[in-house]
Amino acid sequence: MLREFVLKNRSYRRFHEEHRLDRDTLRELVDLARLSSSGANLQSLKFIFSIDQERNAHIFATLGWAGYLKDWDGPSEGERPSGYIVMLFDRSLAKTCFWDHGIAAQSILLGAVERNLGGCMFGNVDRDRLQQVLALDERYEILMVIALGKPKEEVRLVPLGVDGNIKYYRDAAGVHYVPKRSLDDIILP
Amino acid sequence: MLREFVLKNRSYRRFHEEHRLDRDTLRELVDLARLSSSGANLQSLKFIFSIDQERNAHIFATLGWAGYLKDWDGPSEGERPSGYIVMLFDRSLAKTCFWDHGIAAQSILLGAVERNLGGCMFGNVDRDRLQQVLALDERYEILMVIALGKPKEEVRLVPLGVDGNIKYYRDAAGVHYVPKRSLDDIILP
């Protein structure tokens, strides 16, 4: 069951933008993050939602899309995310968030997959601009942006080639391929 | 379904040590990490297993247990983890592992819970000693140790008190309590 969720939980970058998200769904997803493990139980993560079109557009403009697809600047109108969860580190609560952001993001995205949604984590964010867009207090550091929506693309995992190239790519039909190292490559004896 | 896994996936620190783990199970768990998202798809994480008693003992000696339980130095013999997954960053593959370690750990531990196992992530590790124990090349940085086994303790989530104290504690019966912030505390307007 979990393996199915993990397999289905790909990084999706094109969506049925007309599919609207509601605040309750995002609350359920963040609740999964809340109930997950936190380093030294400090729970220093905070979350902001965006589901309305104006805020979505402002957030979209701060994101760097798919670094390896040089001829693609991101999804066109109609295929953009239906919403976002911006994950913040609250500096007033801890000195570091440890690896809490990864844990939280994985819980959120596995929960999204269970709801037939999907998303993509962004570290490539114009943080200064997003800080302004969200009128964020300096106590918050933007850790990542999670784009969410109903996926409108196919993503396939493929074995890494002999050249060791890990860059994802698309074929002419727009199918997105992600080369993955083998299990024997990542487990040391 | 996922919410049940997330709820059951607590940080367990006492185990039925006599329950043995096999290498195939740990491979299945690491496969969940392998199939999870990786920043820029660089896949810089590597993994080492321990399931035999001698190696387990060496790894156990490098771990700092439950910082908030001042009168407890860790589980006694018979209640120690049945095995470990040591997560490494392979410096030859990337400059940073981004938040991949959190993602991978969450996939591994949710997979453990699905198999009626449980575990605990350790950042408090004597890395120099563990580097020696595992005879690790300098190219590897120890990110965390995940202890695994069949849990032998009850862990309960409770709301954070008005004093805001996030420290976990145990009652006289050995039940472990973890104060969690509320959803409204972590979602900004």
Side-chain angles (χ1 to χ4, degrees):
Chain A
M1 172 60 77
L2 184 71
R3 189 178 163 92
E4 287 165 43
F5 289 160
V6 166
L7 279 170
K8 203 174 156 191
N9 181 26
R10 309 284 25 113
S11 294
Y12 296 106
R13 296 179 178 87
R14 287 175 293 178
F15 303 91
H16 295 277
E17 190 173 350
E18 72 283 4
H19 179 90
R20 304 316 308 161
L21 296 171
D22 59 68
R23 210 171 154 81
D24 284 347
T25 301
L26 300 199
R27 281 178 68 90
E28 286 171 22
L29 297 181
V30 166
D31 206 33
L32 296 174
R34 182 182 78 89
L35 297 166
S36 297
S37 175
S38 165
N41 199 38
L42 288 167
Q43 307 168 69
S44 61
L45 304 183
K46 299 285 174 82
F47 303 87
I48 291 186
F49 298 162
S50 176
I51 50 173
D52 72 77
Q53 291 179 317
E54 193 186 336
R55 193 178 231 190
N56 281 356
H58 283 304
I59 294 176
F60 178 83
T62 69
L63 304 177
W65 287 83
Y68 298 139
L69 303 181
K70 294 301 179 196
D71 54 352
W72 190 71
D73 288 333
S76 24
E77 280 191 45
E79 298 192 337
R80 293 182 180 163
S82 303
Y84 300 91
I85 295 175
V86 181
M87 194 189 297
L88 310 170
F89 169 54
D90 185 339
R91 293 187 180 95
S92 73
L93 296 174
K95 285 179 190 159
T96 164
C97 73
F98 304 95
W99 46 69
D100 288 9
H101 44 348
I103 293 173
Q106 185 68 342
S107 292
I108 287 170
L109 284 167
L110 289 172
V113 158
E114 192 180 30
R115 288 160 179 78
N116 288 313
L117 299 170
C120 187
M121 304 173 213
F122 287 85
N124 185 359
V125 178
D126 182 337
R127 285 175 168 72
D128 290 341
R129 187 166 171 181
L130 186 53
Q131 199 97 10
Q132 287 184 328
V133 163
L134 300 174
L136 279 182
D137 189 281
E138 284 190 358
R139 111 192 214 202
Y140 300 113
E141 175 190 330
I142 296 166
L143 294 169
M144 79 170 83
V145 175
I146 302 177
L148 288 167
K150 198 172 155 66
K152 197 184 176 178
E153 65 178 3
E154 189 188 346
V155 180
R156 290 188 202 160
L157 301 182
V158 290
L160 209 66
V162 284
D163 60 358
N165 191 342
I166 47 72
K167 293 183 182 176
Y168 45 77
Y169 55 92
R170 284 195 190 145
D171 66 14
V175 176
H176 186 100
Y177 296 87
V178 181
K180 284 285 189 188
R181 300 187 198 285
S182 74
L183 202 47
D184 287 327
D185 279 345
I186 64 170
I187 298 173
L188 302 189
Chain B
M1 172 62 78
L2 184 72
R3 190 179 162 92
E4 288 165 40
F5 289 161
V6 166
L7 280 170
K8 204 174 157 192
N9 181 25
R10 308 284 27 114
S11 293
Y12 297 106
R13 295 178 178 88
R14 288 175 292 179
F15 302 91
H16 295 277
E17 190 173 350
E18 72 281 5
H19 179 90
R20 304 316 308 161
L21 295 171
D22 58 68
R23 210 172 152 80
D24 284 346
T25 301
L26 299 200
R27 282 178 67 90
E28 286 170 21
L29 297 181
V30 167
D31 205 33
L32 296 174
R34 181 181 78 87
L35 297 167
S36 298
S37 174
S38 165
N41 199 38
L42 287 167
Q43 308 168 68
S44 62
L45 304 182
K46 300 284 174 82
F47 302 87
I48 292 186
F49 298 161
S50 175
I51 49 172
D52 73 78
Q53 291 179 319
E54 192 186 337
R55 194 178 229 190
N56 282 355
H58 283 303
I59 294 176
F60 178 84
T62 69
L63 303 177
W65 287 83
Y68 298 138
L69 304 180
K70 294 301 179 196
D71 55 350
W72 190 72
D73 288 334
S76 24
E77 281 191 45
E79 298 193 335
R80 293 183 180 163
S82 303
Y84 300 91
I85 295 174
V86 181
M87 195 190 296
L88 309 170
F89 170 54
D90 184 339
R91 292 188 181 95
S92 73
L93 296 175
K95 285 180 189 158
T96 164
C97 72
F98 303 95
W99 45 70
D100 288 9
H101 44 349
I103 294 173
Q106 185 68 342
S107 291
I108 286 169
L109 283 166
L110 289 173
V113 157
E114 190 179 32
R115 289 160 178 77
N116 288 311
L117 299 170
C120 187
M121 304 172 213
F122 287 84
N124 185 358
V125 178
D126 182 340
R127 285 176 168 73
D128 289 343
R129 187 166 170 181
L130 185 53
Q131 199 98 11
Q132 285 183 328
V133 162
L134 300 174
L136 278 184
D137 190 280
E138 284 189 358
R139 116 192 210 198
Y140 299 113
E141 175 190 329
I142 295 166
L143 293 169
M144 78 170 84
V145 175
I146 302 176
L148 289 167
K150 199 172 154 68
K152 196 185 177 179
E153 65 178 3
E154 189 187 344
V155 179
R156 288 189 203 160
L157 301 184
V158 291
L160 209 67
V162 284
D163 60 359
N165 191 342
I166 47 72
K167 293 182 182 176
Y168 45 76
Y169 55 93
R170 283 193 190 147
D171 67 14
V175 176
H176 186 99
Y177 296 87
V178 181
K180 283 284 189 188
R181 300 188 199 285
S182 73
L183 201 47
D184 286 327
D185 278 345
I186 64 170
I187 298 173
L188 302 189

